[in-house]
Amino acid sequence: QVQLVESGGGLVQAGGSLRLSCAASGSIFSINAMGWYRQALGKQRELVARITSGGSTDYADNVKGRFTISRDNAKNTMYLQMNSLKPEDTAVYYCNANVQTVRRGVPVGPYDYWGQGTQVTVSS
């Protein structure tokens, strides 16, 4: 019912920047919190940053001051601006959204939805 489409990943040198985007589509009634997670090879998925529908944000300690999460509610899109990238930021980055959908004219949920993931590689 809901699709999350990510873009913006790639290969960048240490100290460089990337901007990730996540666009939600489908029969959306409302989107509550959204967040970015990442998973390095052989490791568990971890929260990078999250943002509520009202704009309140939370960051993992190791990205504070370097990453900025934002959202455009009119476009159902979330962003992650990543500056001063380090090799340890290398991971697959996933978009997450807590969404109420509309089915047969009635709000359903909310449920968590996930994007496909986008690879971020930071070289030294």
Side-chain angles (χ1 to χ4, degrees), residues 17-122:
S17 298
L18 285 173
R19 185 175 186 257
L20 305 183
S21 299
C22 171
S25 62
S27 298
I28 297 171
F29 180 79
S30 65
I31 302 178
N32 303 308
M34 303 182 76
W36 289 98
Y37 293 73
R38 67 187 182 188
Q39 186 169 21
L41 283 176
K43 296 185 178 180
Q44 293 295 121
R45 188 175 300 182
E46 65 175 355
L47 176 68
V48 177
R50 68 186 296 273
I51 183 167
T52 69
S53 60
S56 180
T57 60
D58 189 28
Y59 297 90
D61 287 341
N62 55 4
V63 307
K64 286 181 180 177
R66 300 188 298 121
F67 291 8
T68 302
I69 189 171
S70 61
R71 63 192 287 175
D72 185 337
N73 291 332
K75 297 180 179 179
N76 288 332
T77 301
M78 176 180 63
Y79 307 94
L80 185 68
Q81 179 66 47
M82 304 186 293
N83 299 326
S84 302
L85 283 162
K86 305 175 180 180
E88 50 262 45
D89 295 318
T90 296
V92 177
Y93 283 70
Y94 295 92
C95 173
N96 170 264
N98 187 251
V99 183
Q100 283 185 294
T101 62
V102 179
R103 188 175 68 180
R104 299 168 184 171
V106 179
V108 175
Y111 301 107
D112 281 331
Y113 294 86
W114 293 90
Q116 77 284 357
T118 185
Q119 178 70 48
V120 171
T121 303
V122 184

